[in-house]
Every structure is written in structure tokens, then in C-alpha cells.
Amino acid sequence: MKKSSDAATALIGCAGWNIPKEAAERFPEAGSHLERYAAVFPAVEINTSFYKPHRPATYARWAESVPDDFRFAVKVPRSITHDAQMRGIDGLLARFAGEVGELKHKLGCLLVQFPPKLGFHDETARDFFMKLEDTFGCMVACEGRHPSWFSETATEVLRERKVTRVIADPAAGQPGPHVPTTSDLYVRLHGAPRIYYSSYSRDYLDALVRDLTVHGAAGRQVWCIFDNTAAGEAVPNALDVLTALRGGVPPPA
């Protein structure tokens, strides 16, 4: 995947490509929901893969529906992260790879989210992330939600395996300030004060734009995904950030 050369190429998007009717006029009228979404946003996070598998043909159709420089982040199935807890997963991982492989070069990142009760285990984590690297070869972002995932040892392992620690809002389990593990950035914004529902304030979004601008200008790969989708706030928040990063020019519709 091409690295972001400046803030304008930051991968801003939402968890899913649903377009609320209040924002519909800012997107093309023609095309599927994904085609309309991808005409404006450069990236999307697929969360449905966490709950159920999708056929390889479905991923292939999605890849064909978006521009060549569009990127997908795909959430690793809960059968791997939650049920198996990263152990004995070779078959599950092979199936998942056979599915998402149809995205080809448009697979930009794997999102790994662990349950709040699952603590960090050195050997298990090292082995798991090595398998992801060997199997997929793309960016991996990790959202651990147990305090042990923020320990010095966990930080060392994530750095060793070149796994990007997610910057999450709210940051579940994180005992202090964010400690990066790679030069890249993966931000997941779940909504505040009401998780999944609340819109972010103008002050918050302005500060976010400033931070993303700094990271993007440094040539880092920058992802920023809005997950406050329950009341349709993700799309307008993401559009505001995207427009600001492009110098106030509305995204093409």
C-alpha cells in the first residue's frame, strides 16, 4: 500500500459504508451504497467480518466497486480473537485469508480487537502476529482492551512484530497516555460521551485535523475511522475531517 505523502491522503472513513439520508446530497446519486461511498471517502473499515464470514466472491465484488487507490481495513473474525483467543487458529486463519485475499492490493489493514477480559500473553501474541504477517503481509492494527495490553512487554512485542497500536476513543483498558508501537497511525473513534451514538464536537474535530496533518506530513500511513454509526454521526464527522484536510475543499461527489 502506498504511504500517505501528506495529510490530504490520510485514509479517513467510517465503519461500514452506510450513508444516512441527512448526508445523501454530499454523495453521487447513482451506484451501489459502496460505490457512492467510495466516490467520496478513500477508505472503509469492514466490521461485519468480525461476526460472520463473507464469500470470496463478495470481497471480489467489493474490490471491483471502488477506485484503485481505495483501501479496506478488515476486522479479524471473533472466532479467532475471542473464541479461540489466538490459539489453534490455523484453519480459521486460512479460511479468512482465502476470503479477504480477493481484495488483493486494496486490502490495506487488518484490525485486531481483543475482548476486555483477554489479557496479553507474550508467547501467544508473538506467534499470532507472526502468522498474520506471514499470511497477509499488510498493516496490522491492534486494539487491546485489557490493561495488560499496554504493559512494557506488550509494547515491546507489538513493536517487534510491527503492529500498530490503535488510538481509540474511548480508550478501554488504557492506563495512561497513548504509547505508539510503529510510525503509522490507526485511530478508531467510537463516539463520546455516548459510545457509538455521539457526534464529536467541533473543537475535538479541529484538534484531530491538526494531529492528522502533523502525522500525514511526516509521511506516515494514517488511518482515521469513525465508528459512531448508531445514530448516523460517523459520516458527517468524517466528511468534516476529510474536507478540512483537503484545505476546505469539499470531497468530490
Side-chain angles (χ1 to χ4, degrees):
M1 177 179 177
K2 185 179 179 180
K3 295 263 186 180
S4 299
S5 57
D6 54 49
T9 57
L11 294 167
I12 310 299
C14 303
W17 48 80
N18 181 58
I19 300 172
K21 62 181 180 180
E22 293 81 6
E25 63 181 17
R26 301 176 72 175
F27 295 83
E29 293 184 3
S32 67
H33 287 292
L34 177 56
E35 287 170 334
R36 294 170 63 215
Y37 172 97
V40 174
F41 287 114
V44 73
E45 183 182 278
I46 297 176
N47 272 216
T48 52
S49 54
F50 177 75
Y51 300 100
K52 63 179 183 180
H54 297 297
R55 294 185 301 117
T58 299
Y59 281 105
R61 185 177 74 250
W62 289 340
E64 292 168 1
S65 299
V66 301
D68 192 64
D69 59 354
F70 187 91
R71 293 294 180 266
F72 294 88
V74 185
K75 194 171 183 179
V76 174
R78 65 173 299 144
S79 58
I80 294 173
T81 56
H82 288 51
D83 300 337
Q85 298 185 359
M86 301 177 281
R87 295 182 174 92
I89 56 163
D90 289 354
L92 293 170
L93 205 58
R95 174 179 176 172
F96 181 54
E99 295 162 357
V100 301
E102 292 300 316
L103 293 175
K104 303 189 185 305
H105 69 281
K106 295 176 185 178
L107 173 61
C109 185
L110 292 180
L111 170 64
V112 180
Q113 185 190 64
F114 295 114
K117 293 183 179 180
L118 181 61
F120 170 80
H121 184 273
D122 190 333
E123 184 178 347
T124 302
R126 287 179 190 273
D127 181 62
F128 174 64
F129 289 122
M130 183 174 63
K131 287 179 178 178
L132 292 186
E133 181 180 0
D134 291 345
T135 304
F136 298 92
C138 66
M139 176 179 173
V140 176
C142 175
E143 186 176 4
R145 293 183 290 173
H146 185 277
S148 60
W149 280 97
F150 302 93
S151 66
E152 290 186 8
T153 303
T155 298
E156 178 184 328
V157 169
L158 294 178
R159 285 175 174 165
E160 178 185 311
R161 295 301 186 204
K162 298 179 176 61
V163 174
T164 298
R165 174 179 281 146
V166 167
I167 299 175
D169 181 68
Q174 184 173 314
H178 174 75
V179 177
T181 54
T182 71
S183 62
D184 297 326
L185 211 65
Y186 198 103
V187 183
R188 298 192 82 218
L189 302 174
H190 302 299
R194 187 182 180 194
I195 190 170
Y196 304 128
Y197 284 85
S198 294
S199 175
Y200 284 95
S201 69
R202 170 53 54 194
D203 287 347
Y204 185 95
L205 295 178
D206 287 346
L208 175 65
V209 168
R210 289 193 293 270
D211 287 344
L212 296 180
T213 299
V214 170
H215 287 284
R220 296 167 178 169
Q221 186 173 166
V222 176
W223 288 76
C224 181
I225 299 295
F226 286 86
D227 190 31
N228 51 337
T229 57
E233 301 292 352
V235 167
N237 280 176
L239 284 171
D240 286 349
V241 170
L242 190 63
T243 299
L245 288 172
R246 288 174 171 168
V249 179

